[in-house]
Amino acid sequence: MATSLLASLFFTFWALLISPAISLTCSSQKFTKNQVYSNCLDLPSLASYLHFTYDPSNTTLSVAFISTPSKTGGWISWAINPNATGMAGSQALVAYKNSTTGVAVVHTFDISSYSSIVPKDLSFEVPDKTAETRSDGSLAIFATIKIPANLAAKGTINQVWQVGPGVGEGGMLERHDFAAANLRSKGTLDLKNGQSSTNSGGDTTVKKKNIHGILNTVSWGILFPLGAMIARYIRSFESADPAWFYLHVFCQTSAYAIGVAGWGTGLKLGSESSGITYSGHRYIGIALFVLATVQIFALFLRPKKDHKLRFYWNIYHHSFGYAILVLGIINVFKGFNILKPEHKWKSAYMIVIISMGGISLLLEAITWIVVLKRKSRKSTKPYDGYNNAQSNQQPLAM
């Protein structure tokens, strides 16, 4: 029964990851005025989408950019950078809801540098531009752009997109986040072939952060809690002895190995990110490494079941185990807040943890029922998961 519950948990996990990729695509999006574009792209970050049509005869580009502000009342932006790949120097279209009328508006920003972000005409013509609020809370920018001759001759442009939290007085944009998703929101748009490619040169750190997050989520956030569940609940079933013990050891040692790898990538990222420190996340990570290391090595110092020190070893083992369990889950959520991946990843992990909690409650009730039934038989030695219930043996504590 426990096995089937755990299996259903992980099927739910993967279904949640796959379903957004199927449903949230640009090809399923419709417009209120039934605009039609030749191409549409699911941009690789910030849950953003670009629809566009390019007419080479007059070098005009018609675009519809869709994204969701990072906070209610925030802004979205799509830009062309004529000379570089980043935001500095880009010619941007920015949309947000007017605080007075509640109507979506779009303005142009010539971002000559990060210190100068003010509304200004662009270096190329924008004959038409509008914005609208969509039913799902996202914003859409519609624009017709006259592509400069030098860019039209190349057939590609550097595009940059972004989302921000709010708009101050005079239309001043509040600074956007500098999380991984925000930093990789740029790429090259092929006007002729209708394709987009990202700039991989600046993505090395992002990939390392993603690897760090995946390793630690799987180890501290999933495998360690799963191993604890096996030790507490599966051992109650006589038929599971001694398989439960080997499953428990396998889960915890695997989690430790993966967790150490994740911890190592975190140290590497820290050494390469001078001046950027996430103290809470860092200290909890160090504590987890120390606690888990002591747990693993103490496995080789475990007293025999009938040894007088076994009672104290059990207290230590359980205390450290539950500490790792709690700190691991806390640090996974701290990592999500730092990395700021697409919302589906955090939602998927929350589904996993909530499901594991629900399964634990169910197994807790089943365990008590099994124990009470066993006692009701007036057995001279109740089964405790560590011996084979032979009548000539005494019950032993874990």
Side-chain angles (χ1 to χ4, degrees), residues 63-145:
V63 300
F65 172 72
I66 300 173
S67 193
T68 304
S70 56
K71 292 183 180 180
T72 302
W75 52 269
I76 68 169
S77 172
W78 184 81
I80 295 174
N81 194 324
N83 303 310
T85 59
M87 182 62 74
S90 64
Q91 308 292 293
L93 298 164
V94 179
Y96 55 85
K97 290 177 68 173
N98 185 288
S99 59
T100 302
T101 63
V103 177
V105 295
V106 59
H107 296 285
T108 56
F109 284 70
D110 182 352
I111 305 176
S112 56
S113 68
Y114 286 111
S115 59
S116 177
I117 304 178
V118 294
K120 187 178 179 181
D121 290 340
L122 304 186
S123 60
F124 44 77
E125 297 179 43
V126 184
D128 178 55
K129 62 181 187 299
T130 59
E132 71 175 23
T133 303
R134 296 172 61 83
S135 58
D136 60 359
S138 63
L139 295 174
I141 296 174
F142 301 93
T144 301
I145 301 167

Side-chain angles (χ1 to χ4, degrees), residues 201-223:
D203 288 347
T204 303
T205 300
V206 172
K207 290 179 180 178
K208 289 180 180 178
K209 287 182 178 180
N210 289 338
I211 292 171
H212 171 73
I214 292 171
L215 291 174
N216 287 293
T217 299
V218 171
S219 60
W220 310 112
I222 296 178
L223 281 178

Side-chain angles (χ1 to χ4, degrees), residues 385-397:
Y386 279 99
N387 52 56
N388 59 7
Q390 294 176 1
S391 59
N392 62 341
Q393 290 182 315
Q394 297 299 315
L396 299 171

Side-chain angles (χ1 to χ4, degrees), residues 235-397:
R235 57 176 287 200
S236 300
F237 301 93
E238 297 182 8
S239 59
D241 186 31
W244 74 264
F245 177 74
Y246 297 114
L247 283 173
H248 172 65
V249 171
F250 174 77
C251 276
Q252 305 307 67
T253 53
S254 298
Y256 178 74
I258 297 171
V260 169
W263 187 68
T265 60
L267 293 178
K268 181 65 174 176
L269 284 168
S271 66
E272 295 175 350
S273 306
S274 178
I276 301 176
T277 304
Y278 301 102
S279 299
H281 186 66
R282 179 171 177 262
Y283 293 147
I284 293 176
I286 294 172
L288 282 169
F289 173 74
V290 172
L291 290 171
T293 300
V294 174
Q295 281 281 67
I296 292 298
F297 280 101
L299 176 66
F300 303 102
L301 302 174
R302 184 178 58 159
K304 293 182 178 181
K305 300 172 186 177
D306 56 352
H307 196 283
K308 62 181 180 180
L309 295 179
R310 182 59 178 264
F311 172 76
Y312 301 102
W313 185 91
N314 286 339
I315 292 176
Y316 132 76
H317 184 63
H318 295 160
S319 300
F320 274 43
Y322 286 120
I324 293 171
L325 183 75
V326 174
L327 289 175
I329 294 173
I330 290 174
N331 221 28
V332 167
F333 281 107
K334 281 185 173 291
F336 276 122
N337 292 335
I338 293 169
L339 191 57
K340 290 183 171 59
E342 291 185 38
H343 186 67
K344 68 178 181 181
W345 298 103
K346 186 174 182 179
S347 297
Y349 181 67
M350 290 178 67
I351 291 292
V352 170
I353 288 300
I354 292 171
S355 299
M356 293 177 82
I359 292 172
S360 295
L361 289 175
L362 178 61
L363 292 176
E364 186 76 27
I366 294 174
T367 299
W368 277 102
I369 291 172
V370 170
V371 171
L372 292 175
K373 283 185 175 181
R374 198 170 288 150
K375 286 184 177 181
S376 68
R377 299 192 200 118
K378 297 181 180 179
S379 173
T380 57
K381 189 196 72 56
Y383 180 82
D384 67 356
Y386 279 99
N387 52 56
N388 59 7
Q390 294 176 1
S391 59
N392 62 341
Q393 290 182 315
Q394 297 299 315
L396 299 171

Side-chain angles (χ1 to χ4, degrees), residues 37-39 41 50-54 61-63 189-191 194:
Y37 297 87
S38 301
N39 309 283
L41 298 170
L50 180 69
H51 303 251
F52 69 96
T53 298
Y54 178 63
L61 177 66
S62 300
V63 300
L189 184 65
D190 189 328
L191 300 176

